[in-house]
Amino acid sequence: MAKYPHLRQLGRPARLPESPDKAVLETVPNPMPRELYLVRFTAPEFTTLCPMTGQPDFAHLVIDYAPRTKLVESKSLKLFLGSFRNHADFHEACTLAIGQRLAKVLAPRWLRIGGYWYPRGGMPIDVFWQTGQPPKGLWLPDQGVAPYRGRG
């Protein structure tokens, strides 16, 4: 931890933030800022609350970004995503809030988020957002989440 004294959550007990607005996203320097590469985070058990019923909603999130000078510290990302557990908002708002907050904090070359939401009212809702066109030469694998097929 001596190498990263600015980190306040990694290596220490940290409570789940009360809300996404109160969550702190921490960063570390990119050790290879001149290299073009992709970082992927997958959150297959993301949860939030329906703003109308208060019932839980579930999603499989895939976050891809091509870093510049900063990398997101993964524990802070987990705490940020966990802060949505008691947050009530629509699928679209949650997905975009996550992508836009990461883009603001990281200032990456490029970022995209895929929110693959499980059915609400019998219908799955998938939400996608990106900062623009991916950089030329960036290897961009498929997000790997199959369309929802139910039981069968």
Side-chain angles (χ1 to χ4, degrees):
M1 290 305 298
K3 187 173 180 180
Y4 303 106
H6 66 284
L7 296 178
R8 298 289 171 239
Q9 299 170 106
L10 184 62
R12 301 179 176 104
R15 302 188 83 182
L16 197 62
E18 293 176 24
S19 70
D21 293 338
K22 292 185 179 182
V24 176
L25 279 168
E26 296 184 320
T27 64
V28 295
N30 180 357
M32 303 191 79
R34 296 180 196 265
E35 293 293 324
L36 178 60
Y37 65 98
L38 185 78
V39 177
R40 172 169 289 170
F41 286 97
T42 305
E45 298 177 347
F46 178 80
T47 60
T48 190
L49 300 175
C50 172
M52 304 306 288
T53 66
Q55 294 296 309
D57 284 324
F58 303 90
H60 183 140
L61 300 181
V62 181
I63 301 163
D64 292 325
Y65 74 100
R68 286 189 203 276
T69 60
K70 299 177 191 174
L71 302 173
V72 68
E73 190 285 308
S74 63
K75 182 176 181 180
S76 75
L77 178 61
K78 291 173 197 172
L79 291 168
F80 171 58
L81 295 177
S83 72
F84 281 84
R85 285 185 182 161
N86 294 315
H87 177 78
D89 217 336
F90 290 109
H91 299 337
E92 298 85 351
C94 291
T95 305
L96 270 63
I98 294 165
Q100 291 171 345
R101 175 90 179 269
L102 284 167
K104 182 178 179 182
V105 168
L106 296 172
R109 289 183 172 133
W110 178 80
L111 182 141
R112 77 173 175 186
I113 183 169
Y116 302 85
W117 293 83
Y118 291 91
R120 178 195 284 171
M123 192 165 59
I125 301 171
D126 295 337
V127 181
F128 307 96
W129 182 82
Q130 65 183 21
T131 57
Q133 292 298 315
K136 185 177 179 174
L138 178 66
W139 178 50
L140 197 53
D142 183 79
Q143 290 197 323
V145 181
Y148 185 78
R149 303 287 260 186
R151 290 188 185 182

